[in-house]
Amino acid sequence: MVRIIGILTGLVFTLAVLISFGVDTYSNLTTEAEETAEHHFHAEPLDVSFPHDGPFGKWDTAQLQRGYVVYKEVCSACHSLKYVAFRDLADLGYTEAEVQALAAEWQVPGIDPRTGETVMRAAEPTDYFPSPYPNDVAAAAANNNAIPPDLSLMTKARHGGAPYVYSLLTGYEDPATYSHDGERLLEAYPDFEVPTGLYFNPYFPNLNLAMAPPLTTTGQVTYEDGTEATIAQMSKDVSAFLSWTAEPTMDDRKQTGWPVLGFVLFATILAYLSKKQIWAAVKPAKRKH
């Protein structure tokens, strides 16, 4: 009797779960989702091109060096590059001595050989870019409970890549005047508000971004090559630099890819001609009707 009651109880429970699942599924399939301001006014990345775009594109080392300056002077205050070592900067056209000098401008944790205590020391080329915060708790406390993401792979991690980063950096807007395709945000959604401590940016998925506008004025950094450091120029340069940090071997990959494709094409043609030569003397069998 106990076993029968247990089986019946299990069947009732299973039936209840199936009914609940069916009702929820039907409700989700038949109920139209309410369109939100985030969905309606979210903007796609701008159509901006870079020298490294396309199968024949290459890194513009001058642009990458300018992008490094923007990262160092602006972005590094909040964001890390934990997968990039200072020695990798040699790929940007810097000499060994210049790489050592650039690394020495940074402070990284070290060990005092006399006391064994943790100290800060000048970075060496073999060190990786340090985090601006000792841990995530400190990072969240300094950024309205939002932990700034590491930027090493950012252009690979976000849909749109470098154009997305460029759009985000240049896309801060005033929600009171923002319009998309001729439709004003606050006219369509009068209750829309930007929470305290956040900033309106239509290129961010939920429109509200914890990061304050990092690039705010022309001349915020100084380029050694004399290029005018406008907001658009700085945004494009640092976007290209972050494309390089995400895929530093892109040039090598493209240079290797074309010979490989050429070899595959040649091998395909050779295999086809060989097949024609081998089977040339073989006559197809006649079909019997």
Side-chain angles (χ1 to χ4, degrees):
M1 178 63 71
V2 174
R3 184 176 298 178
I4 295 176
I5 293 176
I7 293 174
L8 292 176
T9 302
L11 290 175
V12 171
F13 176 77
T14 303
L15 182 63
V17 171
L18 291 175
I19 292 174
S20 176
F21 176 78
V23 171
D24 288 344
T25 301
Y26 177 79
S27 176
N28 289 332
L29 292 175
T30 56
T31 302
E32 294 185 3
E34 182 180 354
E35 190 175 69
T36 63
E38 289 81 359
H39 177 269
H40 189 75
F41 285 92
H42 173 61
E44 290 297 318
L46 298 171
D47 184 13
V48 56
S49 61
F50 293 85
H52 59 268
D53 288 342
F56 298 101
K58 293 184 178 181
W59 297 123
D60 181 344
T61 55
Q63 183 180 53
L64 297 183
Q65 290 183 8
R66 294 195 302 269
Y68 167 72
V69 172
V70 177
Y71 169 76
K72 179 179 182 296
E73 299 295 334
V74 181
C75 307
S76 65
C78 298
H79 297 276
S80 59
L81 283 178
K82 63 182 180 181
Y83 297 118
V84 183
F86 291 103
R87 62 188 173 192
D88 296 331
L89 295 178
D91 295 341
L92 306 189
Y94 293 113
T95 65
E96 183 178 348
E98 289 174 330
V99 170
Q100 290 179 342
L102 291 173
E105 296 175 354
W106 296 74
Q107 292 289 308
V108 298
I111 301 296
D112 188 331
R114 297 169 300 179
T115 64
E117 296 179 350
T118 302
V119 295
M120 299 302 292
R121 60 171 177 81
E124 299 176 355
T126 53
D127 290 315
Y128 285 76
F129 280 84
S131 172
Y133 304 104
N135 51 56
D136 288 348
V137 175
N143 294 276
N144 196 29
N145 291 324
I147 301 174
D150 180 81
L151 297 182
S152 305
L153 304 174
M154 184 54 62
T155 58
K156 289 291 186 181
R158 295 293 184 269
H159 172 70
Y164 166 79
V165 176
Y166 173 85
S167 301
L168 195 73
L169 292 174
T170 59
Y172 288 87
E173 299 276 356
D174 181 358
T177 58
Y178 179 72
S179 63
H180 181 64
D181 292 336
E183 186 176 11
R184 287 183 174 273
L185 170 63
L186 294 186
E187 289 180 357
Y189 296 91
D191 295 332
F192 178 83
E193 292 183 358
V194 178
T196 302
L198 300 184
Y199 302 86
F200 178 75
N201 192 312
Y203 298 101
F204 196 66
N206 69 0
L207 305 182
N208 299 313
L209 184 61
M211 180 177 69
L215 303 174
T216 56
T217 182
T218 297
Q220 194 167 340
V221 303
T222 301
Y223 289 143
E224 292 185 359
D225 62 2
T227 301
E228 184 180 8
T230 63
I231 293 177
Q233 183 68 54
M234 291 185 290
S235 299
K236 194 168 186 179
D237 291 341
V238 76
S239 298
F241 173 72
L242 294 179
S243 294
W244 171 79
T245 65
E247 194 175 7
T249 59
M250 185 198 69
D251 277 355
D252 294 337
R253 174 173 59 79
K254 290 182 179 180
Q255 291 173 4
T256 302
W258 286 113
V260 170
L261 289 177
F263 172 78
V264 171
L265 179 61
F266 172 77
T268 302
I269 295 174
L270 185 62
Y272 175 76
L273 294 177
S274 298
K275 177 259 184 186
K276 295 285 289 184
Q277 179 67 23
I278 292 172
W279 294 93
V282 179
K283 296 181 179 180
K286 293 183 178 180
R287 295 182 178 180
K288 295 181 180 181
H289 297 282

